[in-house]
Amino acid sequence: MKPLVHETIEEQGESLVPAGEPIPGLVGIFSCKAPQFVPLSLARGPIELGRTTHGALLDDDRLSRLHVRVEHEIGRFVVTDLASRNGTYVDGARVQDRATFDAPRVLRIGRTILIFVADVRPYQQGTVTTRGDMIVGPRLADALARVARSATLGSMLLVTGESGSGKELAARHFHASSPRATGPFVAVNCATIPVGVAERLLFGARKGAYSGATNDAEGFAQAAHGGTLFLDEIAELESGVQPKLLRLLEVGEILPLGASRPVKVDIHVVGATLKNLRAEAAKGRFREDLYYRIGNPEVRLPPLRERLEEMPWLIRATLQKSGATLEPHPLLVEACALRAWPGNVRELSHELRQAAENALAAGRTVVEAGDLDPSAGLVLVDDNESGPQNASKPSDQRIAEVLRRERGNVSAAARALGMHRTQLRRWLARRGGYPQAVMPDEGGHVTIDTE
């Protein structure tokens, strides 16, 4: 497995800070037309970026000789534009002279995109690679390494993560990393099993067990014998079947429907869910004893918005599948990096395919930010509810903070939050409207009331 790109600017060596203390920094992820992977540490103090610095990362003729200075002070990033020709942008908004940010995401200078990271060390030690159908950056690589360790040490694993974050691919990685890699891999989506037939489908049935059972029928568990059974959306498994699954996990036996004797089955089991299974068990919606059996070890897959270093590679890979020679515009990469993508890689790929079609229909080979659907990658909102309704929902405090930073500019704040501006206006309206929620003072600054 060869790395796509790995150019580390800082010398590898002993840590510059006490062990365990994070080192803030930046990671260059895109420049001109190509994905990049270049970690930049702020451990030694401020760094200046421009056309004459950092070689391959900033081979960008849109940059000034010295374009921007970035530093980290008392837990905050400080960005200073060095009188650049084309401006410095943080989370899509132009920086005027010097600005301080609590949790910025994306820095754009010229045609180059970088991301801010609270701890650059994992990026200095990793890279971006391909693993089958997956593009894997350091954050995801760490999760997959834990999946692989679980496969060599035990027979069960619970994979958690949002929809589209790659749970089945992680389960396949578990299977491939286990001693049973040559055995079958059987995937079952528990949420799609019709009510009343889960027992028959999972554990099989004997001839005559029910009307129409003219032959013995093998279940998914028997089909996975010698390999791995993957139970996706395990939180949706019928409650009546859960004790039978527990027996399979504890003693390796199943009782097919209509059978009088149990059958031995030798399998590994991976469960996956986007729900908090522990909370489901506490509320009585999932058996506690089954949770304690399958809920440990648990590996959480980070959502795409926590793995922005993968974004340009995913964009390029998707556009290459369009059948045409298409290139991403830097503003497309920035727009994608600033959106929440609650559907993760699955949603990103779907929306990029549509954006590619839009570019081709316009006679262009460069896919622009405007080719994305305005709602693509934004948090989901039910108009009858009070706000975003998924795990990527920004808190009221975060919304207020970004509005303050953008001095009440709704469009700029919405871009930074991964929301549509209409959603943000609704948020403001619920708190008394724009004038009451975001009001500039005599000096032009904004005070936000989040009460």
Side-chain angles (χ1 to χ4, degrees):
M1 183 171 14
K2 296 181 179 179
L4 299 171
V5 171
H6 188 194
E7 301 175 37
T8 303
I9 302 302
E10 297 292 336
E11 294 181 357
Q12 299 297 320
E14 294 185 4
S15 174
L16 299 176
V17 294
E21 185 175 338
I23 300 176
L26 298 163
V27 180
I29 63 171
F30 185 86
S31 189
C32 298
K33 300 178 180 179
Q36 301 276 347
F37 183 81
V38 187
L40 301 170
S41 172
L42 292 172
R44 293 189 176 99
I47 57 175
E48 292 182 348
L49 304 175
R51 197 173 61 252
T52 59
T53 69
H54 299 95
L57 168 64
L58 302 179
D59 185 15
D60 181 350
D61 59 11
R62 298 287 180 87
L63 296 178
S64 299
R65 192 176 69 85
L66 285 179
H67 198 107
V68 65
R69 180 187 299 115
V70 181
E71 52 198 307
H72 196 261
E73 297 179 349
I74 319 176
R76 307 180 81 190
F77 286 94
V78 181
V79 179
T80 304
D81 181 78
L82 302 177
S84 65
R85 292 175 301 166
N86 297 313
T88 295
Y89 296 81
V90 172
D91 291 348
R94 187 163 185 166
V95 173
Q96 303 293 341
D97 299 325
R98 187 176 189 269
T100 302
F101 304 92
D102 290 328
R105 291 168 61 82
V106 180
L107 172 67
R108 172 166 57 87
I109 50 176
R111 294 180 294 173
T112 298
I113 308 292
L114 304 97
I115 58 174
F116 297 88
V117 293
D119 189 358
V120 76
R121 292 174 300 173
Y123 300 89
Q124 291 177 314
Q125 299 167 5
T127 185
V128 178
T129 62
T130 55
R131 301 189 186 185
D133 294 331
M134 297 183 79
I135 291 174
V136 181
R139 295 290 305 276
L140 185 55
D142 178 68
L144 292 178
R146 286 182 279 124
V147 168
R149 285 196 296 271
S150 298
T152 59
L153 297 174
S155 61
M156 282 173 286
L157 175 68
L158 178 65
V159 180
T160 59
E162 296 177 11
S163 175
S165 59
K167 295 189 289 296
E168 180 167 346
L169 291 172
R172 291 184 181 277
H173 185 63
F174 176 95
H175 176 67
S177 303
S178 75
R180 297 158 181 261
T182 57
F185 177 88
V186 178
V188 182
N189 188 328
C190 298
T192 63
I193 297 177
V195 176
V197 300
E199 181 178 359
R200 170 165 60 88
L201 292 179
L202 284 173
F203 308 124
R206 291 288 182 257
K207 178 181 178 180
Y210 58 91
S211 177
T214 56
N215 295 291
D216 289 349
E218 183 180 69
F220 294 129
Q222 295 102 309
H225 180 73
T228 302
L229 177 64
F230 172 50
L231 298 176
D232 196 10
E233 305 298 350
I234 191 170
E236 308 303 324
L237 188 62
E238 282 184 34
S239 58
V241 179
Q242 290 180 22
K244 301 178 187 300
L245 175 59
L246 178 62
R247 180 167 181 80
L248 168 62
L249 299 179
E250 290 185 333
V251 301
E253 289 183 351
I254 61 170
L255 186 66
L257 198 64
S260 57
R261 295 182 179 179
V263 175
K264 285 286 186 181
V265 178
D266 183 15
I267 58 175
H268 285 180
V269 176
V270 178
T273 180
L274 53 78
K275 293 184 177 181
N276 183 331
L277 205 58
R278 185 181 185 89
E280 292 295 298
K283 294 174 182 177
R285 294 197 288 257
F286 193 83
R287 286 184 65 102
E288 285 191 26
D289 49 5
L290 180 56
Y291 166 73
Y292 290 127
R293 193 73 178 93
I294 201 171
N296 186 32
E298 174 183 338
V299 174
R300 171 187 175 269
L301 297 184
L304 182 57
R305 63 186 172 277
E306 295 178 11
R307 329 190 312 243
L308 292 182
E309 70 278 4
E310 299 173 14
M311 186 75 72
W313 304 99
L314 291 165
I315 293 171
R316 186 175 73 167
T318 302
L319 297 184
Q320 286 177 342
K321 294 176 182 178
S322 67
T325 304
L326 294 175
E327 298 173 349
H329 193 282
L331 290 178
L332 172 70
V333 177
E334 179 190 53
C336 288
L338 288 176
R339 301 191 185 196
W341 300 107
N344 291 284
V345 176
R346 183 186 298 124
E347 182 188 10
L348 174 70
S349 298
H350 172 75
E351 295 294 347
L352 284 172
R353 287 193 294 269
Q354 183 59 55
E357 291 181 12
N358 293 340
L360 290 171
R364 288 185 275 102
T365 59
V366 175
V367 184
E368 301 174 354
D371 293 320
L372 280 175
D373 187 282
S375 64
L378 302 183
V379 291
L380 304 178
V381 173
D382 182 343
D383 287 343
N384 296 320
E385 297 294 336
S386 60
Q389 300 298 307
N390 58 52
S392 58
K393 163 184 176 177
S395 67
D396 285 358
Q397 181 179 357
R398 169 66 175 159
I399 294 173
E401 175 186 295
V402 173
L403 277 166
R404 181 183 297 111
R405 189 184 76 203
E406 301 300 340
R407 299 192 175 187
N409 186 318
V410 171
S411 295
R415 282 195 300 270
L417 291 162
M419 301 172 70
H420 194 279
R421 58 181 178 273
T422 301
Q423 296 173 241
L424 186 50
R425 289 194 183 107
R426 290 194 190 112
W427 183 91
L428 289 167
R430 287 194 299 272
R431 285 153 182 81
Y434 180 94
Q436 288 73 31
V438 184
M439 297 185 65
D441 60 21
E442 293 179 358
H445 300 288
V446 169
T447 301
I448 298 179
D449 177 13
T450 61
E451 296 301 322

